[in-house]
Amino acid sequence: MAKLFKKLHWADALIIVALTVFVATIWLRIDGTLNYKWNWSIIPRYIIRWDEHEGVWVANILLQGLISTIRVSIYAGILAVIIGVLLGIARCAQNLTLRLLARTYVECLRNIPPIVVIFIFYFFLSEQVVSAFGIEKWARGIARSENPEVWSFFFGDMRHFPSLISGVVVLAMFESAFVGEIVRSGIQSVGIGQREAARALGLGWVDEMRFVVLPQAIKRVLPPLANQFITLVKDSSIISLIAIQELTYKTSELVVSTRAIFEAWLTTAAFYFIICFSLSMLFRKFEKKRSAT
């Protein structure tokens, strides 16, 4: 701790003081002007509760939302990387039509507000996919089965599985545009000499990308992809607008039922901060290890 204080510059101390004053001012306005009655004691039982029937501690509304947010982020992140890699490769393809289609997709999604994108994909694509493949009927059958525990572990309440799929699809489609641009920049950062050497060895475009360009590009795009995943976790709150049962949606339900507005939202903000900050530290550690090797 002493070493930390020694590293602080006078500007850092000034910023800390300013933030402290700002937080204190907000706190006093809430406590005084708004005459708000704080009730932090109710928050723990909405995170975890004792199930008297089963005799165990179980996740309550906030923890359920947090777990759902983690699920959506992981699945949407995987799908966004798959689509984004394909988009990045297509943006660098020799075929003009393929390049134009990929660029149109990327530019449209990057220049339209995310809320609009979410609604468009949800009502015009995701709902159609769920209906076309009979996902809702299948999920309800799983929910009524005798042993749905494995499915529940990976996907939560199977009655909400269609909503989960919809959230994953719309979030992945939106984030894939940014992943595609990251992959494209990584591919184009590989020196022209590397490509010329590959062509000199008689490699075609596909083999050139597979054996020469992509292995080098992947190493360069890992840090920005890690940052994009953190952004995806925060962006997952948007899908609460289409009734996906993630953390923000559950917090809204809690606020309506308890009127603990500030306690609920501050707790939710703390959950998001813990996830994103932990991921940031984890990715930074991996990056240091990779640069050291």
Side-chain angles (χ1 to χ4, degrees), residues 219 222 284-293:
K219 293 181 180 179
L222 283 179
R284 187 178 301 176
K285 186 176 180 180
F286 284 156
E287 189 174 349
K288 287 181 178 178
K289 284 186 176 180
R290 189 173 61 88
S291 60
T293 56

Side-chain angles (χ1 to χ4, degrees), residues 156-171:
D157 189 343
M158 290 302 294
R159 292 173 298 179
H160 300 147
F161 182 76
S163 298
L164 177 70
I165 292 298
S166 299
V168 168
V169 170
V170 296
L171 193 59

Side-chain angles (χ1 to χ4, degrees), residues 14-49:
L14 184 62
I15 292 173
I16 292 174
V17 171
L19 287 174
T20 303
V21 172
F22 175 76
V23 171
T25 302
I26 297 297
W27 184 280
L28 290 173
R29 286 185 64 84
I30 293 173
D31 196 40
T33 307
L34 297 181
N35 196 26
Y36 185 79
K37 302 299 182 182
W38 295 91
N39 190 14
W40 284 104
S41 60
I42 68 171
I43 296 300
R45 68 171 178 261
Y46 284 103
I47 298 176
I48 188 170
R49 65 178 178 85

